[in-house]
Amino acid sequence: MDTDVLIVGAGPTGLMLANQLARRGVRMLIIDRHAGPSLQTRALGVQARTLEIYAQLGIADRAIELGKRGTGANLWAQGRWMARVPLGEIGQSATPYPYILILGQDDNERIMGDKLPDFGISVQWNTELVALAQEPGDVTATLRQADGSQRRIVASWVAGCDGAHSFVRELTGISFPGAPYEHVFYVADTEATGSMVPDQVNIYLWQEGFHLLFPMRGKDHWRIVGILPPNLRNEDVNFEAVVPSLRNEAGASLSFAACTWFSTYRIHHRGAAHFRNRRCFLLGDAAHIHSPVGAQGMNTGLQDAYNLAWKLALVVKGQAEATLLDSYEEERIPIARRLLNTTDRAFRLAVSDSWFAGLFRTKVLARIAAFAMSRKRIQRAAFRVVSQIGIHYRHSSLSRSLDGLPKSAPRGGDRFPWLQLKLRTDGAVEDLFQKCDDTRFNLIAIGQPLPPEGALGFGDMLRTHVIPADLANDKELARAQIPQPSFYLLRPDGHIGLCGVRLEAAAVKRYIAENLHLADRGR
Ligand SMILES: Cc1cc2nc3c(=O)[nH]c(=O)nc-3n(C[C@H](O)[C@H](O)[C@H](O)COP(=O)(O)OP(=O)(O)OC[C@H]3O[C@@H](n4cnc5c(N)ncnc54)[C@H](O)[C@@H]3O)c2cc1C
């Protein structure tokens, strides 16, 4: 076997998977047919959940330093300011990163790519996958190299992170149903001044569509994303052609000193029928593509990689049966389908050409949004969805909640909430996320002792955390609706595997055998 995992594609998804596998000690090869990293910004919004994952990888500070925090989004309808969605304030107790970080895809790729040499890995550029042959025990991949020569490598598993036109998807015969939208998007990198609320996202709704203005690093630097007005849809347009429509609804005060990049593109909404075919997996845009409404695309690919990496690592190292890998598709397909449906509905509403939709967008939608955003509960729910901290796997075969926990408590499959607790009675308050080791399982015992060492059957795959009784801890646990006593067994990706009231070794062992498929020899 030449390698354990062949990662095809060094976009954000492939780079995240490579980092996550490398830090877990998995042998891998990451290839890309391009000559080097992409210079196109494309995706812009880094969500809170992604930053939490970046923090575990040790790259969150660098991302935050390079990006710009969007702490709020302002909604405008036909030139009038209607509402502000206060991202920062809403998410403050839910995540260490209560904002959307405006950081271009190229910077995200650079930061993740720069991390790889720490693990002795580098991307093999100019290397294209041209054929795959799957056998019961391995996959033979044919790669075309820069000089045109071909070489064959044998891998245990192949991860197709090769984008919307995925060759891995095509070679494995997985269908990609969906359709293109008739609308044409444009992106423009501008130096602009106008009615925009500085340092925040500005959304301009108008009779014929919308424009999003993102604050970027640098003075008066705004990224504009919009749809072309219908009369320009079939033309060869440049930035000057869209300026009149922009001024029309963002106000005559909008003026541009420069436009350094302008591009148009059509988008599709499609989801792969399967995320796995025997030894090959699909992740990121290879598995799902949707409208950029909500800045979810890149973030979803990164989470696909985070979900698959710990499972692949355990299987490759012989610490889990291959059955564990079935849960990748089981958990990630529903997330992708829900995302496709919601972004599709939101997108249709945002771009429909009908007179009624235009009226709805500018007269009704903005008012509903203004009203909804004055309600704290709705704000919090919206933040959880957009930031992706609300993604859960409650229906997964890996998720189990034992009897006795109140309904309001976090359940099996949820992302374990962000808590700041005293881990020693005489110690300072600490960030539990920072204490958890995401290359292992983490067991959190609240208001009760741990079973004797070695009794749980995880070997060295487990970190334990005992939360002592303390007034400040009581308050923080109550805020997260975590009862005392209780216990939470977290998977490496921070989602709850097993939870319950009394921590008994027999229940944990049963969970390991029945749900996690951990192998005896690995422990
Ligand atoms: C103009 C534009 C604007 C966008 N704006 C947003 C946005 O605002 N928000 C958002 O969330 N998303 C946005 N997206 C979508 C976002 O860019 C994607 O979701 C993201 O790039 C997906 O990452 P990925 O790694 O899965 O795939 P990709 O970034 O497409 O990477 C795939 C990689 O695989 C390589 N590859 C392909 N085939 C092979 C092969 N046979 N052998 C070797 N290598 C191969 C390619 O060279 C490429 O580097 C935008 C997309 C576009 C085009």
Side-chain angles (χ1 to χ4, degrees), residues 462-474:
L462 185 69
R463 286 277 174 274
T464 53
H465 314 267
V466 181
I467 312 300
D470 176 274
L471 274 181
N473 284 354
D474 289 349

Side-chain angles (χ1 to χ4, degrees), residues 99-394:
Y99 44 83
I100 180 168
L101 186 75
I102 314 293
L103 180 70
Q105 184 170 328
D106 50 348
D107 283 330
N108 282 277
E109 290 180 23
R110 188 153 49 85
I111 294 168
M112 284 190 276
D114 286 351
K115 187 75 189 162
L116 280 177
D118 288 2
F119 310 109
I121 305 286
S122 55
V123 177
Q124 295 196 8
W125 298 106
N126 280 318
T127 308
E128 182 176 9
L129 174 79
V130 291
L132 273 181
Q134 294 205 65
E135 300 296 337
D138 54 45
V139 192
T140 301
T142 308
L143 311 181
R144 184 164 41 222
Q145 305 174 108
D147 60 3
S149 66
Q150 295 198 347
R151 79 176 155 127
R152 283 192 178 170
I153 63 143
V154 181
S156 301
W157 305 96
V158 171
C161 305
D162 48 347
H165 303 287
S166 169
F167 200 43
V168 174
R169 193 182 61 230
E170 192 185 319
L171 290 172
T172 49
I174 299 175
S175 62
F176 201 36
Y181 290 108
E182 58 180 305
H183 300 88
V184 182
F185 263 84
Y186 72 82
V187 281
D189 246 333
T190 65
E191 194 186 320
T193 51
S195 60
M196 301 80 81
V197 179
D199 297 332
Q200 301 192 17
V201 181
N202 286 265
I203 303 167
Y204 291 90
L205 299 170
W206 58 306
Q207 195 71 25
E208 289 179 330
F210 68 89
H211 285 115
L212 309 176
L213 274 79
F214 295 92
M216 302 288 284
R217 200 173 58 234
K219 190 169 176 303
D220 297 333
H221 186 180
W222 291 89
R223 162 66 61 84
I224 305 174
V225 177
I227 51 162
L228 287 182
N231 60 318
L232 297 177
R233 218 170 267 171
N234 297 316
E235 313 244 326
D236 195 12
V237 284
N238 54 21
F239 181 61
E240 281 64 42
V242 300
V243 169
S245 77
L246 258 166
R247 281 227 176 89
N248 202 20
E249 87 274 9
S253 65
L254 185 64
S255 85
F256 297 99
C259 172
T260 50
W261 180 53
F262 179 79
S263 180
T264 60
Y265 59 103
R266 280 183 187 273
I267 56 169
H268 296 236
H269 55 114
R270 294 180 186 278
H274 293 285
F275 282 12
R276 177 182 177 187
N277 176 290
R278 293 181 286 163
R279 294 188 159 265
C280 297
F281 296 89
L282 298 180
L283 301 86
D285 273 20
H288 43 77
I289 48 172
H290 26 81
S291 95
V293 168
Q296 302 288 304
M298 179 178 74
N299 295 276
T300 306
L302 297 178
Q303 285 208 52
D304 288 343
Y306 200 50
N307 183 291
L308 181 62
W310 68 270
K311 299 171 182 174
L312 257 183
L314 287 182
V315 171
V316 163
K317 292 202 258 170
Q319 292 174 313
E321 309 292 344
T323 330
L324 177 63
L325 296 173
D326 295 344
S327 65
Y328 167 66
E329 168 171 306
E330 184 196 344
E331 293 183 343
R332 295 305 296 174
I333 273 201
I335 304 295
R337 296 220 167 120
R338 205 171 317 130
L339 184 62
L340 271 165
N341 286 337
T342 44
T343 51
D344 186 44
R345 261 185 269 136
F347 183 67
R348 285 186 193 284
L349 196 63
V351 300
S352 169
D353 292 339
S354 82
W355 173 85
F356 176 74
L359 196 70
F360 181 80
R361 200 155 47 227
T362 52
K363 301 277 185 245
V364 186
L365 181 67
R367 282 199 170 81
I368 293 178
F371 171 78
M373 286 309 150
S374 66
R375 299 284 178 280
K376 281 265 177 313
R377 211 160 51 88
I378 300 177
Q379 284 181 1
R380 273 197 294 270
F383 181 79
R384 288 181 65 76
V385 171
V386 175
S387 67
Q388 301 199 339
I389 62 170
I391 285 180
H392 66 79
Y393 308 127
R394 284 192 179 186

